[in-house]
Coordinates of all heavy atoms in Angstrom, one line a residue:
R7 N 177.3 -20.0 81.5 CA 176.7 -19.7 82.7 C 176.2 -18.3 82.8 O 175.1 -18.0 83.3 CB 177.6 -20.0 83.9 CG 177.8 -21.5 84.2 CD 178.6 -21.7 85.5 NE 178.7 -23.1 85.7 CZ 179.9 -23.7 86.0 NH1 181.0 -23.0 86.1 NH2 179.9 -25.0 86.1
A8 N 177.0 -17.4 82.3 CA 176.5 -16.0 82.2 C 175.3 -15.8 81.4 O 174.4 -15.1 81.7 CB 177.7 -15.1 81.7
F9 N 175.3 -16.5 80.2 CA 174.1 -16.4 79.3 C 172.9 -16.9 80.0 O 171.8 -16.3 80.0 CB 174.4 -17.1 78.0 CG 173.2 -17.1 77.1 CD1 172.9 -16.0 76.4 CD2 172.3 -18.2 77.1 CE1 171.7 -16.0 75.6 CE2 171.2 -18.2 76.3 CZ 170.9 -17.1 75.6
E10 N 173.0 -18.1 80.7 CA 171.9 -18.7 81.4 C 171.4 -17.8 82.5 O 170.2 -17.6 82.6 CB 172.3 -20.0 81.9 CG 171.1 -20.8 82.6 CD 170.0 -21.2 81.6 OE1 170.2 -21.1 80.4 OE2 168.9 -21.5 82.1
T11 N 172.3 -17.2 83.2 CA 171.8 -16.2 84.3 C 171.1 -15.1 83.7 O 170.0 -14.7 84.2 CB 173.1 -15.8 85.1 OG1 173.7 -16.9 85.7 CG2 172.7 -14.8 86.1
N12 N 171.6 -14.5 82.6 CA 171.0 -13.4 81.9 C 169.6 -13.8 81.4 O 168.6 -13.0 81.5 CB 171.8 -12.8 80.8 CG 172.9 -11.9 81.3 OD1 172.9 -11.5 82.5 ND2 173.9 -11.7 80.5
R13 N 169.5 -15.0 80.8 CA 168.2 -15.4 80.3 C 167.2 -15.6 81.4 O 166.1 -15.1 81.3 CB 168.3 -16.8 79.6 CG 167.1 -17.2 78.9 CD 167.2 -18.5 78.1 NE 167.5 -19.6 79.0 CZ 166.5 -20.3 79.7 NH1 165.3 -19.9 79.7 NH2 166.8 -21.3 80.5
L14 N 167.6 -16.2 82.5 CA 166.7 -16.3 83.7 C 166.3 -15.0 84.3 O 165.2 -14.8 84.7 CB 167.3 -17.3 84.7 CG 167.5 -18.7 84.2 CD1 168.2 -19.5 85.3 CD2 166.1 -19.4 83.9
D15 N 167.3 -14.1 84.4 CA 167.0 -12.8 84.9 C 166.0 -12.0 84.0 O 165.0 -11.4 84.5 CB 168.3 -11.9 85.0 CG 169.1 -12.3 86.2 OD1 168.6 -13.0 87.1 OD2 170.3 -11.9 86.2
R16 N 166.2 -12.2 82.7 CA 165.3 -11.5 81.7 C 163.9 -12.0 81.9 O 163.0 -11.3 81.9 CB 165.9 -11.8 80.3 CG 165.1 -11.2 79.2 CD 165.7 -11.6 77.9 NE 165.8 -13.0 77.8 CZ 166.6 -13.7 77.0 NH1 167.5 -13.1 76.3 NH2 166.5 -15.0 76.9
E17 N 163.7 -13.3 82.0 CA 162.4 -13.9 82.2 C 161.8 -13.4 83.5 O 160.6 -13.1 83.5 CB 162.5 -15.4 82.2 CG 162.7 -16.1 80.9 CD 162.8 -17.5 81.0 OE1 161.8 -18.1 81.4 OE2 163.8 -18.1 80.7
R18 N 162.6 -13.4 84.6 CA 162.0 -13.0 85.9 C 161.6 -11.6 85.8 O 160.5 -11.2 86.2 CB 163.1 -13.2 86.9 CG 162.6 -12.8 88.3 CD 163.7 -12.9 89.4 NE 164.9 -12.3 89.0 CZ 165.2 -11.0 89.1 NH1 164.3 -10.2 89.6 NH2 166.4 -10.5 88.8
L19 N 162.5 -10.7 85.2 CA 162.1 -9.3 85.1 C 160.9 -9.0 84.2 O 160.2 -8.1 84.5 CB 163.4 -8.5 84.6 CG 164.5 -8.4 85.6 CD1 165.7 -7.8 84.9 CD2 164.1 -7.5 86.8
A20 N 160.8 -9.8 83.2 CA 159.6 -9.7 82.3 C 158.4 -10.2 82.9 O 157.3 -10.1 82.4 CB 159.9 -10.4 81.0
G21 N 158.5 -10.8 84.1 CA 157.3 -11.5 84.7 C 157.2 -12.9 84.0 O 156.1 -13.2 83.5
G22 N 158.3 -13.6 84.1 CA 158.3 -14.9 83.4 C 157.1 -15.8 83.9 O 156.8 -16.8 83.2
L51 N 168.3 -6.7 79.0 CA 168.8 -8.0 79.0 C 168.4 -8.8 77.8 O 169.2 -9.5 77.2 CB 168.3 -8.8 80.3 CG 169.0 -8.4 81.6 CD1 168.2 -9.0 82.7 CD2 170.4 -8.9 81.6
T55 N 171.0 -10.5 75.0 CA 171.1 -12.0 74.8 C 170.3 -12.5 73.6 O 170.3 -13.7 73.3 CB 170.7 -12.7 76.1 OG1 169.3 -12.3 76.4 CG2 171.6 -12.4 77.2
F59 N 163.9 -14.7 72.1 CA 163.4 -15.5 73.1 C 162.2 -14.9 73.9 O 161.2 -15.5 74.1 CB 164.4 -15.9 74.2 CG 163.9 -16.8 75.2 CD1 163.6 -18.1 74.9 CD2 163.6 -16.4 76.5 CE1 163.0 -19.0 75.9 CE2 163.1 -17.2 77.5 CZ 162.8 -18.5 77.2

Side-chain angles (χ1 to χ4, degrees):
R7 283 188 181 132
F9 176 78
E10 182 66 15
T11 298
N12 282 341
R13 186 180 66 79
L14 293 173
D15 285 346
R16 181 181 59 205
E17 285 180 60
R18 180 183 52 79
L19 288 169
L51 283 169
T55 59
F59 182 71

